[in-house]
Amino acid sequence: MTPSTDSPPRIYTAALAIIGNEILSGRTQDANLNHLAKTLNGWGVEMREARVVPDIESEIVAAINALRARYDYVFTTGGIGPTHDDITADSIAKAFGLPLVEHPAAIALLEHYYPPGELTVVRRRMARVPEGADLIENPISKAPGFKIENVFVLAGVPSIMRAQLQGARAFIAGGRSVLSRTVSVLVGESKIAELLETAQGQFPDVDMGSYPFFKRNALGTALVLRGREEARLEAAYDVLVGALSAAGIEGHPGELPD
Amino acid sequence: MTPSTDSPPRIYTAALAIIGNEILSGRTQDANLNHLAKTLNGWGVEMREARVVPDIESEIVAAINALRARYDYVFTTGGIGPTHDDITADSIAKAFGLPLVEHPAAIALLEHYYPPGELTVVRRRMARVPEGADLIENPISKAPGFKIENVFVLAGVPSIMRAQLQGARAFIAGGRSVLSRTVSVLVGESKIAELLETAQGQFPDVDMGSYPFFKRNALGTALVLRGREEARLEAAYDVLVGALSAAGIEGHPGELPD
């Protein structure tokens, strides 16, 4: 157990740029942020911000440059296919001030994937990366992503994105995961607000959130505690459950099923 | 029919700030962006950007001030409950440099909602708005949102957010909705990339997007055309379907069912 007087371990942070008009138009429901947030937390990296940006080069460049200066890792999803609206590689190259080049290993992958003679000009578009980028292997299908400095460029299709994210694992250093404990109560937020704030005051290193829900025709609240030190998290949980009990409110461990 | 030589009608734009650690941690899957994007488009307002920001005042202030300067309307979801982690009202007031005050009509609503004597200090928190804000009525439950200048502050719980959005309708002026037509093909993107780009070149006022999918165990691509002028959209659709046919590719109208 690390005593709390030690300097705290390094915290690794990430942001996501979701690139795609189809998310902003409502055609498509994004599923990548949720998966990435959970996966990265398991790797000891904390998602701190996400942006959804349209398929406009200047918008992508501005978002990437804002995010890569601020977070340890930046992920992008979407816009790496072969069609004219796939402008992510171009935009990332521009953000870094680098030329866009064909990656020899990506060309080799494509040559292996398509029948002889079918690696068309259009398909070669998918091998373009900013000069100096590393390919991110995709252990499931063959379509690679790429990494340039701290920016990881992944596909928008969730199944491909998830495979590429596994390929990106090797490049990512993380710290300690954020652990969480949840207690659910069948009263509204205003009934627990004061005791929750008191508990939060006692445990400034444990983030306490309160999330109202309607389940089983009842109003309730999930109290979610998040922190990196297990002993502190457990102590905070016990204090909170004790305070609920003292107030005559029954706490149910975990999230209530729907 | 408006001739295309007329000056184009005004385009109304919007952005969304999703406020909440629970989205960034992966605990909760956001559903509000998708609903808001579709609803606003029906009202003639185009969603241009979204950001997911943590429950940190300085982050919320920075996001709101960046977005409200740039778009006609800014929406926020989340952080307007009664608990200590609900800091949206405080942060919006700070972004505008305004004091946070109790809105008399919000207090009246809460007084009516709770039994006599039960409008506690904690519950009064939900009536706090930046000075000069208008309440956004909620025709379903009683919890209001509020509006200050071009910023609309809504709940995070989807059912409440949707009700408040209906209440916000009266404040929103819109232009023409973006119309869309989709044709699906059972070939990969690279087979249609060239003809799609050619069609896009002929119709710069129609936005053409290409979205690969895996359905019924087959790889396919949805080609989505979006534009404000119905005649141009139909013409572009006909040209694209004709080009597909000439290339020996069968086009299925609309999205393919899963």
Side-chain angles (χ1 to χ4, degrees), chain A residues 91-188:
Chain A
S91 305
I92 302 290
K94 193 150 209 171
F96 281 91
L98 290 169
L100 195 64
V101 299
E102 283 188 345
H103 194 293
I107 290 288
L109 277 171
L110 291 169
E111 276 173 342
H112 191 256
Y113 183 78
Y114 291 109
E118 292 198 14
L119 182 50
T120 57
V121 171
V122 156
R123 286 171 172 158
R124 292 180 84 99
R125 274 179 61 85
M126 294 189 281
R128 299 172 316 142
V129 300
E131 194 167 66
D134 293 305
L135 284 197
I136 295 173
E137 282 186 44
N138 173 339
I140 293 175
S141 77
K142 289 299 154 217
F146 65 83
K147 167 198 169 300
I148 178 84
E149 296 187 16
N150 63 336
V151 177
F152 293 75
V153 177
L154 309 178
V157 175
S159 58
I160 303 176
M161 179 272 184
R162 290 171 190 212
Q164 290 170 341
L165 184 59
Q166 291 306 317
R169 176 74 180 98
F171 295 107
I172 294 170
R176 290 158 73 179
S177 297
V178 175
L179 308 171
S180 78
R181 286 295 301 269
T182 298
V183 54
S184 297
V185 294
L186 288 169
V187 298

Side-chain angles (χ1 to χ4, degrees), chain A residues 203-227:
Chain A
F203 293 89
D205 53 330
V206 175
D207 177 53
M208 301 192 184
S210 162
Y211 305 106
F213 60 76
F214 303 99
K215 286 178 182 174
R216 304 166 164 183
N217 289 321
L219 173 84
T221 306
L223 305 174
V224 180
L225 279 57
R226 308 184 84 242

